[in-house]
Amino acid sequence: MSRERIGLLDVGSNTIRLVVFEKDDDHGFTELQNIKTPARLAQYMNDNEKMAEDGIKKLITVLKSFTDIAKSYNIVDLIAIATAAIRQSTNKESILARVKEEVGLDLTVLPEKKEAYYGNYAVRYTMDVVDGISIDIGGGSTEITYFENKKVKHVHSFPFGTVSLQKDFFDGLSHNDKKAIKKARKWVKKQLKSLDWLSDLGVVLVGIGGSARNYAEVFQRQTDYPIAGIHEYYMSKKNLNDTFKLFEESSMKELSSLDGLSEDRRDIIIPAGIVFTELLDVIDSKSFAISNRGLREGIIIERMNEEDEEAYDLFGIKRQTVQRLFKQYDIRPISAHQRIILADQLIKLIKDKGILDVLDTDLSLLHYGATLYYLGSYIEDDSKSQHTFYIISNTNLHGFNHKERVQLALLASYKNRSLFKQYTKYVKDWYEKDTLDLLLYMGSIIKFSEALSDSQVNVVKDMKLLDTDDGHYELVVTYSGQAIAEEYRANKHKNHIERVLGKSLDITFNQAEETADQSEV
């Protein structure tokens, strides 16, 4: 399976896309190529749901081009799927036969529920959302899935999407015609309310696909969002409505200059927003989360889980993400292991003194930070803290929302308080002061743990934190072998632990007594 490449041709109602994935030995996958063209196949459907010849010719032209490109990537398998536009066509069989004859491609039409399944599969396996509704709005259909405790409860596919809504309500009108918007809203709400299981769920709404991404990206640009990426990015109901209002009040020319809005989505971004905002109201949700993983990733992840049932863990997403980063950046296992053990020991000593209150979730974050500590040295050792913070905070990490992503970055990159303040300058309003203080203290503990394992040969065997007669603390470190490097680094960096303790600290290194067996060796 090492470096195996898979191609995925996705024929949607709005867009035709080719994505080339490369898999690695750890079940991770990377996009080597992602190209698309806005074919708008849904607009070639006549009143009898038959696709016109012009639409079929456009489809075949694009598929010929994309299959030629796919061949140059030496892929082991090319998966070709089609969704609503072809699925809803009364001449579907004729279209598939033409594609087979003229392109040499077996195009698989996904049933509505299967399309919804794959998009939701990607959400459940890459986001830390336990209960939610996922929505994948395409050009000609809208898939909605309700999941509870990571299990699918209800699935429904509506036979309308951004292109068909634009055609039905805005054809011949301006993109932001008020009467058309009002009429479309009323109609969409009626469709949504036809599902008796959908109302008042109060769970997070997860948007999949390009329209959802565009809403998030535009809002981020408008608010000078400080980090990159949109996977597991959360918008409030107000954020979403404000962004819709921006589109509604903008001319088509003004939309062209909006950063984050794709040129080929300008005329369909309002129909998409109508569905998002109406659905948010119907389910009575306050949060709109974005998934950068959808149908295509769902197909790949399912395939990996079929090959190895432990490839992707529904309830261990964060852990597996950290493991993959750990291997990707070639972090030494023994170094990470020692940092975690020492950090755990220090946390326990400090907690026993009643100095820190650390929850299990905090402890997990500490372990992840210790595991990925200074991964930026993979790029350059001299500025490893800066590289570490940038990489982690600006990478779409499965299972981590954006606040958690920055928290992880702060721990894994911790060098000193000055850099910590620099890194948190633009995100201070994300966290309570107590949270920032705890992150600073946990970063200090990881930094000191690194000092105690400087030679990386596991010399520290035990630690005790004692009160001294003069009101200070003494850390007694018992070691075996040689601890010259550890003693030097620990004393050099003890100010980090003193900050946590709130008192001065003396460090005493005591060599462990050799046992009889050790002396014989």
Side-chain angles (χ1 to χ4, degrees):
M1 191 180 72
S2 179
R3 300 301 171 190
E4 182 179 277
R5 293 178 178 178
I6 296 175
L8 207 154
L9 263 170
D10 180 4
V11 180
S13 304
N14 180 44
T15 302
I16 301 176
R17 188 184 298 263
L18 167 68
V19 183
V20 178
F21 295 101
E22 184 172 79
K23 300 194 296 181
D24 59 38
D25 291 323
D26 303 307
H27 307 293
F29 57 91
T30 305
E31 275 190 12
L32 292 185
Q33 183 58 275
N34 187 327
I35 56 176
K36 68 174 183 176
T37 184
R40 297 284 177 93
L41 295 179
Q43 70 184 5
Y44 292 98
M45 308 284 279
N46 63 23
D47 294 339
N48 296 319
E49 297 299 312
K50 181 178 181 180
M51 186 177 291
E53 179 65 19
D54 285 349
I56 299 172
K57 286 182 177 178
K58 176 172 278 192
L59 168 66
I60 289 172
T61 299
V62 174
L63 291 180
K64 282 181 177 179
S65 174
F66 281 6
T67 51
D68 284 345
I69 293 170
K71 289 174 185 176
S72 67
Y73 280 88
N74 298 316
I75 61 175
V76 297
D77 190 12
L78 179 61
I79 303 167
I81 58 170
T83 53
I86 294 180
R87 182 172 62 227
Q88 296 168 4
S89 299
T90 54
N91 54 338
K92 175 178 64 177
E93 297 304 325
S94 173
I95 295 171
L96 297 179
R98 291 270 300 274
V99 169
K100 176 66 175 177
E101 179 184 352
E102 298 182 41
V103 187
L105 189 68
D106 290 312
L107 191 58
T108 300
V109 179
L110 291 182
E112 293 94 333
K113 288 190 175 181
K114 198 67 174 177
E115 182 179 357
Y117 165 81
Y118 281 127
N120 181 263
Y121 193 89
V123 167
R124 289 183 291 122
Y125 278 93
T126 68
M127 293 181 73
D128 197 25
V129 178
V130 178
D131 305 318
I133 292 277
S134 65
I135 175 171
D136 189 352
I137 181 167
S141 68
T142 298
E143 277 65 50
I144 293 177
T145 306
Y146 171 46
F147 58 100
E148 186 179 272
N149 196 32
K150 293 278 189 176
K151 291 183 179 179
V152 173
K153 306 294 286 186
H154 296 285
V155 180
H156 186 78
S157 179
F158 288 104
F160 61 81
T162 56
V163 177
S164 59
L165 286 173
Q166 194 278 335
K167 181 181 177 183
D168 291 344
F169 292 95
F170 295 86
D171 193 31
L173 303 172
S174 65
H175 72 287
N176 56 356
D177 184 88
K178 292 187 183 301
K179 289 184 179 179
I181 291 174
K182 185 177 181 180
K183 187 177 178 182
R185 278 194 179 281
K186 184 178 179 180
W187 186 85
V188 167
K189 178 162 282 187
K190 183 179 179 181
Q191 308 311 306
L192 296 174
K193 285 200 166 184
S194 68
L195 301 180
D196 56 6
W197 51 266
L198 195 59
S199 296
D200 301 322
L201 289 169
V203 296
V204 63
L205 176 62
V206 181
I208 305 169
S211 294
R213 289 195 301 269
N214 273 204
Y215 267 84
E217 287 166 348
V218 169
F219 182 75
Q220 286 183 350
R221 304 297 195 282
Q222 293 292 307
T223 55
D224 295 324
Y225 197 66
I227 62 174
I230 58 169
H231 190 63
E232 210 153 336
Y233 171 67
Y234 282 75
M235 298 175 72
S236 68
K237 187 174 184 178
K238 183 179 184 303
N239 297 156
L240 183 62
N241 285 326
D242 286 349
T243 309
F244 181 87
K245 187 176 180 181
L246 173 65
F247 295 144
E248 188 180 20
E249 294 177 349
S250 299
S251 67
M252 191 61 76
K253 184 178 180 181
E254 288 169 333
L255 289 180
S256 298
S257 61
L258 272 181
D259 287 341
L261 178 59
S262 298
E263 185 74 15
D264 55 300
R265 289 189 185 274
R266 288 184 304 156
D267 61 332
I268 57 173
I269 200 65
I270 283 180
I274 288 171
V275 178
F276 294 146
T277 54
E278 290 299 330
L279 181 56
L280 210 62
D281 279 340
V282 168
I283 67 175
D284 190 26
S285 175
K286 296 180 174 63
S287 297
F288 183 52
I290 311 301
S291 174
N292 200 33
R293 306 290 184 257
L295 182 149
R296 293 177 294 275
E297 289 80 10
I299 291 172
I300 299 300
I301 293 171
E302 184 193 54
R303 174 175 288 207
M304 291 185 181
N305 279 337
E306 288 172 349
E307 295 172 355
D308 181 348
E309 62 182 13
E310 296 181 356
Y312 283 81
D313 183 353
L314 269 176
F315 294 97
I317 302 172
K318 285 187 173 74
R319 173 181 54 80
Q320 290 188 322
T321 294
V322 170
Q323 288 174 344
R324 290 186 175 109
L325 276 177
F326 171 87
K327 293 178 180 179
Q328 180 182 350
Y329 286 93
D330 200 25
I331 297 171
R332 291 189 63 197
I334 189 169
S335 302
H337 184 62
Q338 288 175 20
R339 281 193 298 270
I340 292 171
I341 290 175
L342 293 170
D344 270 346
Q345 291 180 25
L346 288 167
I347 281 283
K348 185 178 186 308
L349 293 174
I350 294 169
K351 280 181 67 177
D352 288 347
K353 292 293 181 182
I355 298 169
L356 277 185
D357 184 17
V358 181
L359 304 176
D360 288 344
T361 51
D362 300 322
L363 199 57
S364 294
L365 190 63
L366 179 85
H367 290 171
Y368 297 149
T371 300
L372 302 177
Y373 191 62
Y374 282 175
L375 66 74
S377 60
Y378 183 89
I379 297 174
E380 184 180 51
D381 197 61
D382 288 345
S383 51
K384 55 193 173 188
S385 172
Q386 290 89 337
H387 286 306
T388 300
F389 181 79
Y390 184 85
I391 290 169
I392 295 176
S393 64
N394 289 281
T395 300
N396 282 320
L397 302 181
H398 292 174
F400 289 85
N401 64 42
H402 286 209
K403 288 185 178 180
E404 293 169 337
R405 196 205 295 177
V406 172
Q407 289 176 316
L408 177 61
L410 288 169
L411 296 186
S413 67
Y414 185 81
K415 182 177 182 180
N416 53 48
R417 185 163 54 179
S418 296
L419 275 178
F420 183 90
K421 287 183 176 180
Q422 179 181 317
Y423 297 152
T424 57
K425 181 178 180 181
Y426 298 104
V427 295
K428 285 181 71 173
D429 60 339
W430 288 15
Y431 311 102
E432 298 291 334
K433 183 181 181 301
D434 288 348
T435 301
L436 287 174
D437 288 344
L438 180 60
L439 289 169
L440 177 66
Y441 295 152
M442 291 199 298
S444 298
I445 290 168
I446 295 173
K447 172 78 174 179
F448 191 71
S449 299
E450 174 75 356
L452 285 173
S453 60
D454 192 52
S455 59
Q456 299 182 4
V457 291
N458 197 25
V459 298
V460 175
K461 301 304 176 186
D462 190 27
M463 289 185 285
K464 293 179 181 178
L465 185 62
L466 308 175
D467 295 285
T468 65
D469 293 338
D470 57 0
H472 298 164
Y473 286 115
E474 179 186 12
L475 182 67
V476 179
V477 180
T478 302
Y479 69 93
S480 65
Q482 299 297 322
I484 295 175
E486 281 74 17
E487 186 168 0
Y488 167 73
R489 287 286 302 282
N491 278 290
K492 181 180 179 182
H493 296 297
K494 71 176 184 176
N495 63 303
H496 298 290
I497 289 297
E498 287 176 332
R499 182 178 300 117
V500 182
L501 299 173
K503 294 181 181 179
S504 297
L505 177 69
D506 297 320
I507 305 176
T508 302
F509 277 77
N510 291 332
Q511 189 162 23
E513 294 183 8
E514 290 185 346
T515 64
D517 288 342
Q518 286 176 321
S519 61
E520 288 175 5
V521 175

